[in-house]
Amino acid sequence: MNSSTFWMPFTPIEAAKNPLRVASGQGSWLVLEDGSRILDGISSWWVNLHGHGRKEIAEAIYHQALTLEQVIPAGLTHGPAEALAEGVLSHLPEALCRMFYSDDGSTAVEVALKMAVQYWWNQGETRRTRFLAFEGAYHGDTLGAMSVGDRSSGFSDPFRPLMFDVAYLPWPSTWDNDEDIELKENAALKALDEALENHGDTFAGLIVEPLIQGAGGMRFCRPEFLLGVQNRMKAAGLLVIYDEVMTGFGRTGEWFSCVKAKTSPDIVCLSKGITGGFLPLGATVTTKKVQDAFLGDDSSRTFWHGHSYTANPLACAAGLASLRLMEKEPFRKFESWHRELGEALQDHPRIRRFRAMGTIAAMELLSDGSGGYFDASGPLLRKAFLDAGVLLRPLGNVIYILPPYCTTREELALIYETIAAVVEGL
Ligand SMILES: *Cc1c(COP(=O)(O)O)cnc(C)c1O
């Protein structure tokens, strides 16, 4: 077998020469071809919710495949698509009542952006094509999603001429015992006020990763801040888009961040955990208000957007099976575990800014490097964790844990012990 035909994502080609070969997955563990096991501390890039190899989801996919594997989704519908939409909506704020399916997180974001722009266009407001977004944001790698993401990492430099104009706001990143949080929040809200005052009539809306910026370094904000943003956006009559691709399905300790923050966005993007990590699927959820702007006989009002595999029945069946496992709310136990197990690490002289929310915990390693995604400590840490049998993928000097919900307290303790040992050994 040869891995040289598989061009890996987010991986320099030279660095990918000897990838680990995975044979199977069981619960929180991955089994390599050589028989060794590694503990999956990041839910395989944040998609796996209930552990690897969950029979309930595998069987749901199998039975659905024997019944109906795929059907053109324009003008035809099927049980799994409707049941999944209904099930997900029942856990979101009441105003959200309509679901548009796509393929992954990036397409869920593209749909949201296009929906927001056309919402205004259909009302004769053709100049409202700009978005407000946050420094440090990550919304995906397609052109539109990349355009609303942070541009300081350098990832998007070759594509600058292709990206559209976005107004960026500071992100009031916070952690345990943060004394400056109100100052940071006030500065960000002031920047929002100014943008709305000076350019308010150019914006369609604002996009935000609610409560936690993921790929930007597991940067938390407070619910109060999201409420402040919502109040200002509502007063200006603009749309608020929540990118819950990472935070959705229990990650923050509630079903969704918008529920936890007691806010009611106009559009919500979902993917990653939606099928329990079994099949790709994206969804963009919205309100009656937004949907109603697309009503009418004039065909120019229609949302002319779609993907070949929209509402794929297998993915929807997986999503339904995952939702049933979610209803036991296995995500609620983690925050207290993180706090108990993280306590010793918090006092370590090389660790700072510990934070935990729901199933996610993060901390920063004091390093000599630049900080940020390309901090030199990232690859070193990753290799040391793997050598110790734990799959963690630090974002530069930010070490984070984002476990599947089947993870036991003992397994989580093993992850913390490994972090402590690796940091100690640096
Ligand atoms: C991963 C992620 C995306 C992109 O999702 P893909 O499925 O990788 O395209 C978008 N937004 C957020 C917040 C994400 O974490």
Side-chain angles (χ1 to χ4, degrees), residues 46 104-106 138-140 209 243 245-246 271-272:
W46 321 346
D104 50 48
S106 301
Y138 179 79
H139 297 293
E209 292 158 270
D243 176 354
V245 170
M246 190 278 281
S271 184
K272 289 210 166 95

Side-chain angles (χ1 to χ4, degrees), residues 118 122 294 296-305:
Q118 194 178 343
N122 282 358
F294 293 80
D297 297 332
D298 182 351
S299 70
S300 73
R301 296 175 72 82
T302 298
F303 190 49
W304 295 109
H305 183 109

Side-chain angles (χ1 to χ4, degrees), residues 348-401:
H348 194 285
R350 293 202 63 183
I351 297 287
R352 57 174 196 163
R353 297 181 176 171
F354 181 87
R355 57 245 188 208
M357 193 191 301
T359 68
I360 302 173
M363 64 205 88
E364 293 171 26
L365 179 76
L366 274 178
S367 78
D368 313 329
S370 56
Y373 188 87
F374 287 117
D375 189 280
S377 57
L380 296 176
L381 287 168
R382 193 187 311 168
K383 181 168 183 314
F385 291 138
L386 271 180
D387 289 347
V390 176
L391 178 62
L392 292 175
R393 200 182 152 88
L395 296 154
N397 65 329
V398 179
I399 302 168
Y400 71 90
I401 309 169

